[in-house]
């Protein structure tokens, strides 16, 4: 399990180090949309007259929505922290591999 967590950490650091909103924000938005879909279904079932208070889907939709908002917020805060970190050290956020110039004669 530890090796898997180390591999996930390395993957995350190489892919999302300078743009953490892409990772956390995407997962957050997906979970919010899934929660909205489940809640819409439960609202339709409630309008048709069934009881939804005893359904585990209601609790799962609520937890998924709250987790989605938290993930999105975490992505936004980590994006601000990463940008502040890079600016405080006078380092560029993105690295330029090669600069090419065109000479016009």
């Amino acid at each position: 399990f530890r090796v898997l967590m180390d591999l996930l950490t390395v993957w995350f650091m190489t892919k999302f180090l300078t743009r953490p909103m892409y990772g956390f924000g995407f997962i957050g938005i997906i979970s919010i949309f899934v929660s909205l879909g489940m809640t819409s279904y439960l609202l339709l079932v409630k309008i048709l007259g069934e009881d939804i208070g005893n359904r585990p889907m209601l609790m799962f939709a609520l937890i998924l929505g709250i987790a989605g908002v938290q993930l999105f917020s975490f992505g936004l805060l980590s994006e601000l922290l990463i940008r502040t970190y890079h600016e405080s050290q006078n380092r560029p956020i993105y690295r330029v591999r090669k600069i090419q110039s065109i000479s016009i004669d």
Side-chain angles (χ1 to χ4, degrees), residues 21-91:
M21 185 64 179
Y22 286 10
F24 291 113
F26 179 72
I27 296 170
I29 291 292
I30 294 297
S31 64
I32 288 171
F33 282 136
V34 169
S35 172
L36 285 175
M38 292 168 68
T39 307
S40 300
Y41 168 75
L42 287 171
L43 181 64
L44 181 67
V45 169
K46 180 68 176 175
I47 289 173
L48 293 176
E50 291 185 36
D51 184 31
I52 62 169
N54 295 332
R55 292 184 180 223
M57 187 178 195
L58 177 64
M59 187 63 67
F60 185 66
L62 290 173
I63 291 172
L64 198 62
I66 292 169
V69 169
Q70 285 182 341
L71 282 169
F72 187 81
S73 300
F74 187 69
L76 185 64
L77 287 173
S78 59
E79 184 82 22
L80 290 171
L81 284 172
I82 287 293
R83 298 220 181 244
T84 304
Y85 171 74
H86 284 293
E87 287 178 8
S88 70
Q89 303 219 346
N90 291 329
R91 292 180 6 188

